[in-house]
Amino acid sequence: MTNIDSLPQTADEMLDDRSAAYSDTEAGDGSRVTRRSGSGTRLGRGFTIAASVVVLVALLVGMIGIWEWRGTELESSRDRQVLDTARTVATDLVTVGSEDPQGGLERILEGTTGTLRQQFADAAEAFTTVLGRGEVSAVGEVPSVAIVDADDDRATVIAAVVSTVSNTEVPDGQRRVYRMELELEHRDGRWAVATMEVLP
């Protein structure tokens, strides 16, 4: 039970208790400036620190999300370039004819690198001569391509190829369906096919 004698008896006593949480300072012009005691200041500082921590964490989470998004975007852009290059080169390899043999060879050389490019460069004269005589022609397409593995320097792609090949023995042409495995390398800011293998 509360002791009645311990309770403030007058309004003055109640005001004295309330004023304990405040301090009065006389300003230079004689006016009074009232300040809250230190407990309120500590509470305000604690709230400010907590709010700062929350804001900092939110910023870090946002930055991590942006980094992950940019990484995904870069990979998607790289993969599109790999697939576009593989499809173009595979189509050029299976589309040749007597109309423009030199142009066909140049397109192949433009899209290849390393060993594969050297092979076509070494056989350039024979390649254009055979095509120029009309002894062999081919019209091809690449219905689908898929990445097996890829990083920023190398990529492996499988291409489904459909080609109709005509020669002196088969003037009406023969349709062939097969798969190519293409190894690509990233050099001088662009992708090119380094090796090509026809899969069984």
Side-chain angles (χ1 to χ4, degrees), residues 11-173:
D12 291 339
E13 292 176 353
M14 294 176 66
L15 288 175
D16 289 342
D17 291 340
R18 181 177 178 84
S19 65
Y22 296 85
S23 61
D24 289 344
T25 303
E26 184 173 347
D29 58 0
S31 61
R32 309 293 294 182
V33 179
T34 302
R35 294 184 176 87
R36 192 165 179 82
S37 64
S39 60
T41 302
R42 289 193 298 271
L43 179 61
R45 289 176 180 172
F47 178 79
T48 301
I49 293 173
S52 299
V53 170
V54 171
V55 171
L56 181 60
V57 170
L59 287 173
L60 289 174
V61 171
M63 290 176 67
I64 291 172
I66 291 173
W67 291 333
E68 291 179 347
W69 175 80
R70 289 189 63 187
T72 301
E73 284 295 302
L74 290 173
E75 287 186 3
S76 297
S77 176
R78 178 201 67 199
D79 290 352
R80 285 194 297 270
Q81 293 175 28
V82 167
L83 292 173
D84 288 345
T85 300
R87 185 186 297 273
T88 298
V89 174
T91 302
D92 289 339
L93 288 171
V94 296
T95 303
V96 294
S98 59
E99 295 82 3
D100 185 17
Q102 185 62 38
L105 176 62
E106 289 176 358
R107 285 191 295 273
I108 291 173
L109 294 177
E110 176 67 20
T112 56
T113 188
T115 304
L116 184 60
R117 187 182 189 281
Q118 191 60 50
Q119 288 174 349
F120 276 96
D122 292 342
E125 184 176 352
F127 182 86
T128 56
T129 298
V130 170
L131 293 179
R133 291 174 181 169
E135 296 177 2
V136 178
S137 66
V139 178
E141 61 177 339
V142 182
S144 63
V145 288
I147 294 176
V148 177
D149 187 32
D151 57 31
D152 292 340
D153 299 314
R154 297 177 181 276
T156 302
V157 174
I158 298 294
V161 178
V162 178
S163 179
T164 301
V165 180
S166 304
N167 54 36
T168 54
E169 296 181 0
V170 188
D172 295 332

